[in-house]
Amino acid sequence: MANADYRKNRHSCYLLEYHLVVVTKYRHPVITGKLKDRLIELSHNILEDHWECPISAINTDLDHIHIMFEAA
């Protein structure tokens, strides 16, 4: 983040980054194989294509998914 591209407008300079963690119900360990690939694909589709928020990092474990993304 040392060389992050800050967004600027007339009165401010900012960089909004969010760390979203989504867990499965009762923390059941079900995120594997095709489900893992589909969750990552859907995350990219929703955040980058529809909301225009670039994903900095994305990672999964058996019972949760971490998504680091920027917002304007």
Side-chain angles (χ1 to χ4, degrees):
M1 194 158 106
N3 58 359
D5 292 328
Y6 288 92
R7 298 180 190 269
K8 298 175 184 173
N9 63 22
R10 194 169 164 191
H11 299 287
S12 61
C13 177
Y14 59 94
L15 176 63
L16 300 175
E17 288 191 321
Y18 296 93
H19 180 201
L20 175 67
V21 180
V22 182
V23 299
T24 60
K25 189 171 184 175
Y26 306 119
R27 306 248 345 175
H28 287 298
V30 296
I31 302 177
T32 59
K34 289 184 182 181
L35 179 60
K36 174 184 172 182
D37 296 337
R38 183 69 175 140
L39 281 174
I40 292 172
E41 178 185 335
L42 286 172
S43 300
H44 281 284
N45 185 15
I46 292 169
L47 288 170
E48 293 183 338
D49 297 341
H50 294 299
W51 293 353
E52 298 177 0
C53 297
I55 294 177
S56 306
I58 188 167
N59 198 355
T60 63
D61 201 356
L62 295 175
D63 62 354
H64 63 277
I65 183 170
H66 291 263
I67 306 169
M68 180 76 92
F69 64 96
E70 295 179 25

